[in-house]
Amino acid sequence: MVAYVMCMALLGLGIYCVLMKRNLIKIIVGLVITEYAINLFFVLISYRKNGLAPIFAADAPVAPETMVDPLPQALVLTAIVIGLATTALIVALAMRLYEKYGTFDIAEIRELKG
Amino acid sequence: MTTASAVIPLIVAVPLAGAFIIALLNQKIPRLPDLLGVLATCVGLLLSLWSIYLVQVQPTSVYSVGNWPPPLGIAMVMDGLSAFMLVTVNAIAFAVALYSVDYMERFTAKWQFHSLFLLMLAGMNNVIITGDLFNLFVFLEIAAVASYALVAFGTERHALEAAFKYAVMGTIGSTFILLAIVLLYANTSTLNMADIGRALAQSPAPHLTLFVSGLFIAGFGLKAAVVPFHAWLPDAHPSAPAPISAMLSGVLIKALGVYALCRVLFNVLGLTSQISSILMFLGALSMVIGVFLAIGQWDLKRLLAYHSISQIGYVLLGIGLGTPLGIVGGLFHLFNHSVFKSLLFLNSGAVEYATGTRDLQKMGGLAARMPVTASTNFVAALSIAGVPPLNGFWSKLIIIVAAIQAERYGYAFWAALASVLTLASFMKVMKYAYWGGLGDAWRDVREVPGFMKASMVVLAVVCVLGGVLLLPGLREVFLGAGVEALHQGTHYAAGVLSEVK
């Protein structure tokens, strides 16, 4: 239970970082924190104390009640890859923005409003 | 699984294959990006029209990816709503691909444009036909990442700024969606949408359902740019190249936002009166705030972008009513808005192509030099404002009538008021851009090339004839099946699961 609460605190921290920080890089770090909070939460949900790897082999006993649910791990792997793609794109955008404006400060990158 | 349903995955595979073939072979064959872009979207359109026929024969068909039977494997589910959305998305995509052949000549990396465009289309198509919640998330991200890159395509200062803002907010939206999916999985131990519906029906968890609904509304609402989650849209949509603005405003916000939200809320979680009121309230709020913000704009594309927020409000209001008539109005308005808003963005692109400006105050009298653009824009403006007998009139009328029938007189009033304000702001566009004396700077302006004209004329014809879809006979085929799919609510699960066995 404590672990879940910590996950949500991490999520809140990430969202706070995205909303309140003025530096593009810090905003990106905030985004990564939010993504990883969810990933961590997903892995923790399938955590089982003293759980076994779910391998069904001829010479191993089949014991679903002690095995770990493998699906969340596979899904989190996918989510990490997606997060990587998004982060790479956003970092590339931040680099181009720095080339154009010469700053990472969003208070100075404000051509669009209204 | 029948042989007919084996064709379903092609609707994702064809644009996906097109995207990668363009990326691999563009150096060897010079005209390949144009050719393949148009060809792949054309095949997509034909397949989606065929899916309308498939739904008539068999209301729900299921394809098991990799022959793993659902709920273990990923399922693709074709029902009335999916077929309806596929036709909308692929028809607009085809018109836009045709338009891009001439329009994108001015940009250097044309193949990248077509490749990303097809990737975005594949993402949207899969979001529409998937029956698996995590698969929906993955392809939603594929479409979203492609759209972030496309918004920044011009790599100008404002485009990069808009794309950054859009990407950050889009990612936060996706995070909420993923969290909702995680919570549902933790509770039901399945990811198949029909199976989640069944599990929730067997052991209801009202608090969890409400919380998850809230997360979905925030996440998909961000993608759909519903007020108060709309801040990115007026920046992102105008900054993209015109064909992409047409795609984003025309179909992306609907496929990733409205469709996914409705599918999850109606068919998986079940629509409660609480959620229904939230949807209607958000719809009415977007409708009114969007149109008020639009009237004051002088940048043509920004004005159109604010109208997208407003029109999405109509769609949500109609669908949120939850009555069959309301859903008919909402879905029909979704289709109509796709057509006339993409036409309006293509028109604005044509004006920018010919004159190089988007500022309404600098234009004037362009109707004399660009008759096709001006007349198609006039048709689209009347449609979006809801002037009879164009398509926008019928869908707005149905939504207002449905609101009155449901005794939501306040919402009916706001819908009518927003419609009047829409008319006012589009008269402003026509007056400043197309009518009046021709400015000296525009004496030598020429009408745009053939492909651009062709796609604008086709969309304008759909606007004029759109009302025909309401006639008995056509209505059941195109709209009826979609409405039935939404209105059945959580019976969706039974339909899909019986198809699997």
Side-chain angles (χ1 to χ4, degrees):
Chain A
M1 194 61 206
V2 178
Y4 295 162
V5 174
M6 296 294 274
C7 268
M8 291 302 121
L10 201 58
L11 178 67
L13 188 72
I15 290 176
Y16 169 82
C17 193
V18 172
L19 292 177
M20 305 306 285
K21 292 293 166 190
R22 283 173 42 175
N23 187 309
L24 292 184
I25 302 298
K26 288 183 183 166
I27 292 176
I28 295 169
V29 171
L31 273 184
V32 175
I33 294 175
T34 49
E35 275 166 16
Y36 278 49
I38 307 287
N39 290 344
L40 184 61
F41 183 59
F42 207 173
V43 171
L44 282 177
I45 274 179
S46 71
Y47 176 76
R48 175 173 267 161
K49 211 172 181 183
N50 302 324
L52 296 173
I55 299 168
F56 290 92
D59 54 345
V62 177
E65 62 279 358
T66 58
M67 284 176 171
V68 176
D69 181 0
L71 193 64
Q73 298 174 17
L75 298 185
V76 165
L77 207 56
T78 316
I80 289 173
V81 174
I82 294 171
L84 175 73
T86 324
T87 312
L89 183 69
I90 297 179
V91 170
L93 286 175
M95 280 169 63
R96 295 301 289 268
L97 275 170
Y98 188 79
E99 281 172 18
K100 302 270 179 189
Y101 289 84
T103 176
F104 280 126
D105 188 348
I106 54 166
E108 287 172 38
I109 306 174
R110 290 184 71 102
E111 289 197 355
L112 298 164
K113 50 180 178 267
Chain B
M1 191 162 59
T2 56
T3 47
S5 66
V7 187
I8 295 174
L10 279 183
I11 201 135
V12 182
V14 168
L16 204 56
F20 287 103
I21 293 173
I22 288 176
L24 283 175
L25 296 181
N26 73 87
Q27 313 246 301
K28 305 225 170 69
I29 313 166
R31 299 296 292 176
L32 182 83
D34 286 336
L35 191 69
L36 217 56
V38 173
L39 201 67
T41 48
C42 183
V43 172
L45 180 59
L46 292 176
L47 281 171
S48 57
L49 288 173
W50 171 83
S51 72
I52 289 268
Y53 161 77
L54 178 69
V55 169
Q56 296 305 308
V57 181
Q58 194 183 4
T60 309
S61 27
V62 179
Y63 174 84
S64 321
V65 177
N67 225 353
W68 291 89
L72 286 182
I74 294 169
M76 286 181 173
V77 180
M78 178 72 79
D79 65 358
L81 184 62
S82 301
F84 168 81
M85 286 300 300
L86 282 178
V87 172
T88 311
V89 168
N90 288 286
I92 303 299
F94 178 58
V96 167
L98 211 57
Y99 181 94
S100 317
V101 172
D102 280 332
Y103 184 86
M104 293 310 288
E105 280 301 330
R106 297 185 304 165
F107 290 81
T108 42
K110 207 176 177 189
W111 70 270
Q112 291 172 346
F113 170 84
H114 278 291
S115 189
L116 284 168
F117 177 81
L118 288 178
L119 205 57
M120 184 168 84
L121 182 65
M124 280 192 278
N125 282 347
N126 199 313
V127 165
I128 291 168
I129 58 170
T130 189
D132 184 278
L133 215 45
F134 194 76
N135 195 239
L136 186 146
F137 170 75
V138 170
F139 277 84
L140 180 132
E141 282 292 270
I142 289 176
V145 171
S147 74
Y148 306 152
L150 282 168
V151 167
F153 199 75
T155 61
E156 288 146 24
R157 292 162 74 102
H158 65 95
L160 290 170
E161 184 190 339
F164 188 84
K165 201 169 172 184
Y166 175 32
V168 169
M169 294 191 70
T171 311
I172 293 288
S174 308
T175 311
F176 284 142
I177 296 168
L178 185 59
L179 179 59
I181 294 171
V182 172
L183 289 172
L184 276 179
Y185 178 78
N187 198 260
T188 60
S189 305
T190 175
L191 286 167
N192 184 289
M193 279 155 46
D195 209 32
I196 292 176
R198 184 195 55 77
L200 283 179
Q202 272 176 5
S203 54
H207 294 299
L208 177 94
T209 311
L210 191 64
F211 184 61
V212 165
S213 305
L215 286 173
F216 277 132
I217 289 177
F220 291 129
L222 245 161
K223 304 274 178 197
V226 178
V227 174
F229 312 111
H230 68 287
W232 58 270
L233 186 142
D235 293 339
H237 287 192
S239 300
I244 294 309
S245 310
M247 260 328 250
L248 295 182
S249 255
V251 291
L252 189 88
I253 53 175
K254 305 195 183 74
L256 301 193
V258 176
Y259 164 81
L261 183 62
C262 293
R263 176 66 91 195
V264 169
L265 288 185
F266 279 71
N267 292 148
V268 179
L269 301 174
L271 189 73
T272 59
S273 61
Q274 257 171 324
I275 299 295
S276 161
S277 342
I278 292 175
L279 283 185
M280 279 189 289
F281 179 73
L282 289 179
L285 203 63
S286 316
M287 203 161 71
V288 178
I289 290 182
V291 77
F292 271 116
L293 290 171
I295 287 185
Q297 301 298 324
W298 286 103
D299 181 335
L300 177 53
K301 286 176 87 177
R302 207 172 170 83
L303 184 145
L304 295 177
Y306 274 112
H307 275 294
S308 289
I309 300 175
S310 169
Q311 302 296 316
I312 278 290
Y314 277 98
V315 175
L316 267 191
L317 174 65
I319 295 176
L321 282 168
T323 58
L325 193 66
I327 299 174
V328 171
L331 287 185
F332 192 38
H333 197 68
L334 189 155
F335 173 75
N336 292 338
H337 179 251
S338 302
V339 177
F340 53 62
K341 185 47 67 64
S342 43
L343 176 54
L344 284 166
F345 267 116
L346 296 185
N347 289 142
S348 76
V351 170
E352 202 185 354
Y353 184 88
T355 66
T357 183
R358 296 189 332 217
D359 190 340
L360 283 172
Q361 283 165 318
K362 289 187 189 150
M363 300 173 193
L366 290 175
R369 302 295 304 168
M370 307 173 69
V372 177
T373 309
S375 47
T376 49
N377 194 81
F378 188 52
V379 169
L382 291 183
S383 287
I384 194 173
V387 173
L390 296 159
N391 58 1
F393 167 72
W394 300 109
S395 47
K396 283 189 184 174
L397 184 72
I398 295 173
I399 291 172
I400 294 173
V401 169
I404 292 173
Q405 262 189 7
E407 298 183 345
R408 305 276 185 174
Y409 301 111
Y411 289 142
F413 168 75
W414 287 114
L417 179 78
S419 185
V420 173
L421 292 175
T422 310
L423 184 64
S425 77
F426 276 97
M427 285 305 106
K428 171 179 157 183
V429 171
M430 290 309 294
K431 178 170 176 287
Y432 280 95
Y434 297 101
W435 295 337
L438 186 65
D440 280 333
W442 316 128
R443 294 272 168 232
D444 301 324
V445 164
R446 276 206 239 139
E447 184 59 285
V448 293
F451 279 119
M452 287 166 74
K453 268 194 280 197
S455 83
M456 292 192 293
V457 169
V458 168
L459 288 174
V461 169
V462 178
C463 276
V464 174
L465 298 179
V468 172
L469 291 171
L470 283 179
L471 291 179
L474 274 175
R475 178 182 167 168
E476 289 80 10
V477 173
F478 189 56
L479 280 168
V483 173
E484 182 50 40
L486 268 187
H487 191 245
Q488 67 177 347
T490 42
H491 292 294
Y492 168 81
V496 173
L497 291 175
S498 71
E499 199 58 41
V500 171
K501 286 182 187 109

